Amino acid sequence: MALFLFVILVLMPSLTNAYWPPSPGYWPSSKFQSMSFYKGFTNLWGPQHQRLEQNGLTIWLDRTSGSGFKSVRPFRSGYFGASIKLQPGYTAGVITAFYLSNSEAHPGYHDEVDIEFLGTTFGKPYTLQTNVYIRGSGDGKIIGREVKFHLWFDPTKGFHHYAILWSPKEIIFLVDDVPIRRYPRKSDTTFPIRPMWLYGSIWDASSWATEDGKYKADYKYQPFVAHYTNFKASGCTAYAPRWCRPVSASPYGSGGLNSQQNNAMRWVQRYHMVYNYCQDSKRDHRLTPECWG
């Protein structure tokens, strides 16, 4: 019995650590003010599938349409976040997204930085997909830079804050202020440098979203609903002077992550990352040279 208790006491800290990330020690979301939806955004499509209530936005997909919204201003860098709650149950084929893009300004040759929630089937977790497209790599010839995660919490039980920090040096994806991925600028050809707008949407992506299209959207479970609130979009707009200072995800004004943030990110990637394009032997990495170094 004494030996059993000793083993439990020794293992308990490691078991606990495996379920929840260590503190990042810094909370960038607290550095930026929230804004009302109408102050920073406008409807893009599916206005009949949007409802605004107490600064929170609900959008939904049914057999007739999905819905999307877009920031009023384009940005060339900044912090972009929202608290999001997802629908439980069968959501296969459905994408709930929060992302940066300039697809309307550069059709067929656009840049994009994605946070996408890939719908799922009963009893399986959502997949959070982060992605980066550069200069048309998502147009026709798909050259994505996907890194995917299963979260350490149930994103249908409550609101959690998801964010993209985009600076001239790097892109950092954060969940509840925990960095989950850092995409550094290694060259101009592998990094988005043109202004982008901030978008959110819910839509049917049955051809690929859930287990490579194995499971499709089933509209007997409609409507598929997503809730957004606590919108944040702060940084250098496309019209800001050149001396506008890019925001940082860490206490360092120069950018990067501090040691605690890096430790938290390593934990997430060790325990909750389920796919990294750079580690995929089926990919042609001549098309993704950032994976080399």
Side-chain angles (χ1 to χ4, degrees):
M1 183 66 178
L3 178 61
F4 174 78
L5 289 175
F6 173 77
V7 170
I8 291 296
L9 289 172
V10 169
L11 290 180
M12 187 61 70
S14 61
L15 290 173
T16 301
N17 290 341
Y19 287 112
W20 207 261
S23 170
Y26 186 76
W27 292 267
S29 66
S30 66
K31 308 302 178 183
F32 307 103
Q33 289 189 340
S34 300
M35 66 170 67
S36 68
F37 177 80
Y38 282 126
K39 182 177 179 180
F41 299 91
T42 186
N43 171 260
L44 183 63
W45 59 287
Q48 71 280 15
H49 287 63
Q50 290 187 8
R51 183 175 66 249
L52 188 65
E53 44 196 23
Q54 297 181 343
N55 284 332
L57 180 73
T58 298
I59 60 177
W60 62 93
L61 165 71
D62 61 24
R63 196 181 299 274
T64 64
S65 178
S67 190
F69 58 90
K70 176 185 177 181
S71 65
V72 174
R73 298 178 296 171
F75 294 83
R76 65 172 188 260
S77 66
Y79 176 94
F80 310 96
S83 296
I84 302 172
K85 181 181 178 183
L86 303 175
Q87 176 163 313
Y90 188 98
T91 55
V94 178
I95 296 287
T96 302
F98 188 68
Y99 62 104
L100 296 165
S101 178
N102 50 32
S103 60
E104 293 177 278
H106 304 284
Y109 193 63
H110 84 288
D111 309 297
E112 188 168 311
V113 180
D114 296 328
I115 289 176
E116 296 173 308
F117 299 94
L118 311 186
T120 188
T121 57
F122 293 113
K124 294 184 179 180
Y126 271 90
T127 297
L128 186 155
Q129 174 171 279
T130 63
N131 204 353
V132 180
Y133 288 122
I134 312 296
R135 294 178 183 81
S137 68
D139 300 301
K141 56 173 186 177
I142 303 298
I143 306 172
R145 294 165 171 83
E146 305 93 339
V147 178
K148 303 178 185 181
F149 304 86
H150 287 162
L151 296 165
W152 52 94
F153 55 84
D154 184 345
T156 73
K157 296 294 187 182
F159 285 94
H160 292 267
H161 199 72
Y162 307 90
I164 299 167
L165 189 139
W166 172 39
S167 78
K169 294 182 178 180
E170 62 195 354
I171 298 165
I172 297 173
F173 299 87
L174 304 108
V175 175
D176 290 337
D177 287 315
V178 176
I180 63 171
R181 177 186 181 185
R182 179 176 177 265
Y183 181 87
R185 180 176 179 172
K186 295 187 176 180
S187 73
D188 289 351
T189 60
T190 61
F191 196 85
I193 56 178
R194 298 177 296 181
M196 293 189 281
W197 285 258
L198 179 60
Y199 294 82
S201 63
I202 188 168
W203 54 290
D204 187 333
S206 289
S207 63
W208 64 270
T210 305
E211 299 186 32
D212 295 323
K214 179 180 179 180
Y215 298 99
K216 315 293 185 184
D218 188 339
Y219 286 97
K220 73 181 180 184
Y221 299 110
Q222 70 176 19
F224 302 102
V225 180
H227 305 278
Y228 294 73
T229 190
N230 193 22
F231 294 99
K232 295 174 185 275
S234 182
C236 299
T237 71
Y239 319 114
R242 290 187 178 183
W243 47 259
C244 180
R245 185 176 182 180
V247 299
S248 174
S250 74
Y252 312 132
S254 58
L257 299 171
N258 66 20
S259 58
Q260 273 190 269
Q261 290 175 306
N262 274 310
N263 186 42
M265 183 171 66
R266 284 192 295 268
W267 181 93
V268 172
Q269 293 180 353
R270 176 182 178 185
Y271 291 109
H272 291 275
M273 185 173 69
V274 295
Y275 177 82
N276 184 336
Y277 75 108
C278 283
Q279 299 170 3
D280 188 343
S281 61
K282 297 178 182 178
R283 296 285 295 267
D284 182 356
H285 290 296
R286 292 173 298 179
L287 303 175
T288 55
E290 71 278 1
C291 292
W292 300 346

